[in-house]
């Protein structure tokens, strides 16, 4: 598939959840090979945007709005997993059960939570899972149950599940939630390594401190709408963020990381 094909194209896309427009006429193009952050306050539609990309939410069939993924209107979820890896808090809650870290990663090949008896795990899958465990620095936890791991350890295993297929894009919805400072540091460094090695990141957050330096573009969202889609240096300004979050914000930058005061 040509590299110029965008990762995703939203055109006047509306998603209604519980009778409310979680996305309201969103038009947005995310290009492949670009590290992007989706930033906005809670309830702004960020997670719905990600769930729509992952195929978990559908755009209203009003004859106007549409979402195209990698140039296609329709994808099977199984085929889509070969291109996208998704990490979310909701998924971590589901994965916190008596399965091993290795089984959690192997489940990524099947889109399941762990491995079920009818699923055939090949030697190549096992080798890939061990490779991912080593890359994540959690090989020593391979046989530990997910419900016995710390939040940071489980988050890394969950990232491993998303990496099982070696996807070109990793989508992370609030990846640092619940992590202590040490775990946040290690997950951030892991994401930076992935970005430098060629995996594109779509990082969803409400905290600008979560945005790693490799991110070059920021999409600002509020009330289910995209209010800006600009280079990072233009997005993370006191003026824009004051308007986005509704308070007089001051922004500082240090070594590629931004902080809000």
């Amino acid at each position: 598939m040509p590299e110029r094909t965008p990762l995703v194209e939203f055109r006047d896309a509306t998603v209604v959840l519980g009778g409310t427009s979680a996305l309201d006429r969103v038009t947005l193009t995310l290009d492949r090979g670009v590290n992007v952050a989706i930033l906005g306050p809670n309830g702004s539609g960020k997670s719905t945007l990600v769930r729509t990309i992952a195929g978990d939410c559908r755009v209203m069939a009003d004859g106007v709005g549409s979402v195209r993924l990698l140039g296609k209107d329709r994808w099977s979820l199984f085929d889509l997993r070969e291109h996208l890896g998704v990490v979310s808090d909701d998924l971590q809650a589901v994965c916190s059960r008596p399965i091993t870290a290795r089984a959690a990663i192997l489940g990524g090949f099947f889109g399941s939570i762990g491995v079920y008896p009818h699923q055939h795990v090949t030697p190549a899958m096992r080798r890939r899972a061990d490779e991912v465990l080593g890359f994540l620095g959690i090989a020593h936890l391979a046989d530990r149950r997910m419900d016995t791991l710390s939040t940071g350890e489980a988050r890394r295993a969950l990232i491993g599940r998303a990496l099982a297929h070696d996807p070109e894009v990793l989508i992370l919805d609030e990846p640092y939630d619940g992590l202590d400072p040490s775990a946040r540091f290690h997950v951030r460094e892991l994401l930076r390594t992935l970005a430098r090695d060629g995996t594109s990141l779509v990082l969803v957050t409400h905290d600008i401190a979560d945005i790693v330096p490799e991110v070059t573009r920021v999409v600002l969202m509020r009330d289910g709408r995209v209010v800006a889609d600009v280079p990072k240096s233009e997005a993370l300004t006191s003026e824009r963020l004051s308007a986005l979050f509704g308070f007089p914000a001051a922004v500082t930058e240090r070594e590629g990381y931004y902080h809000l005061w």
Side-chain angles (χ1 to χ4, degrees):
M1 187 172 296
E3 283 299 315
R4 64 178 176 274
T5 303
L7 168 66
V8 62
E9 298 170 275
F10 287 79
R11 292 289 179 267
D12 288 325
T14 296
V15 173
V16 176
L17 300 175
T20 301
S21 293
L23 293 183
D24 184 10
R25 298 285 182 175
V26 168
T27 294
L28 174 69
T29 299
L30 299 181
D31 291 319
R32 299 164 76 180
V34 177
N35 297 316
V36 59
I38 312 295
L39 178 69
N42 293 336
S44 61
K46 306 185 304 297
S47 293
T48 303
L49 186 81
V50 167
R51 292 173 61 196
T52 304
I53 296 172
D56 295 332
C57 291
R58 294 191 178 276
V59 172
M60 288 185 65
D62 57 5
V64 179
S66 67
V67 175
R68 290 174 61 85
L69 298 172
L70 296 168
K72 292 185 178 182
D73 293 312
R74 295 183 180 276
W75 281 85
S76 75
L77 292 182
F78 187 82
D79 290 339
L80 191 58
R81 280 194 297 269
E82 295 188 4
H83 297 276
L84 304 180
V86 181
V87 180
S88 69
D89 247 5
D90 289 343
L91 187 56
Q92 179 151 344
V94 174
C95 285
S96 296
R97 55 177 61 181
I99 59 172
T100 66
R102 179 184 282 110
I105 292 172
L106 287 170
F109 288 104
F110 307 101
S112 59
I113 308 303
V115 179
Y116 293 91
H118 69 280
Q119 294 168 336
H120 176 60
V121 177
T122 66
M125 290 177 183
R126 292 188 185 278
R127 287 194 298 271
R128 174 61 180 167
D130 287 341
E131 176 184 303
V132 170
L133 285 161
F135 170 73
L136 297 173
I138 55 172
H140 61 294
L141 302 174
D143 297 318
R144 283 269 304 275
R145 287 178 14 173
M146 289 286 286
D147 56 353
T148 70
L149 302 181
S150 71
T151 303
E153 291 167 341
R155 190 67 48 84
R156 279 193 275 178
L158 195 62
I159 292 172
R161 179 183 181 274
L163 293 174
H165 271 299
D166 193 21
E168 62 177 297
V169 181
L170 189 61
I171 300 175
L172 304 114
D173 190 2
E174 304 286 2
Y176 311 116
D177 273 8
L179 302 186
D180 64 27
S182 176
R184 288 170 71 94
F185 171 81
H186 288 294
V187 170
R188 281 175 177 164
E189 290 302 300
L190 170 62
L191 298 186
R192 297 193 69 183
T193 297
L194 288 167
R196 289 193 291 264
D197 288 347
T199 301
S200 296
L201 305 179
V202 177
L203 176 63
V204 179
T205 184
H206 62 272
D207 187 348
I208 68 171
D210 293 343
I211 300 174
V212 294
E214 286 71 21
V215 166
T216 58
R217 176 181 171 193
V218 177
V219 175
L220 304 180
M221 294 192 68
R222 187 177 178 90
D223 298 326
R225 299 176 179 176
V226 172
V227 297
D229 173 15
V230 292
K232 180 172 62 176
S233 61
E234 296 179 26
L236 303 185
T237 66
S238 298
E239 181 179 3
R240 283 192 187 270
L241 296 182
S242 294
L244 184 70
F245 290 104
F247 77 99
V251 179
T252 60
E253 183 270 336
R254 179 181 177 186
E255 297 180 353
Y257 284 99
Y258 289 74
H259 300 274
L260 196 60
W261 306 94

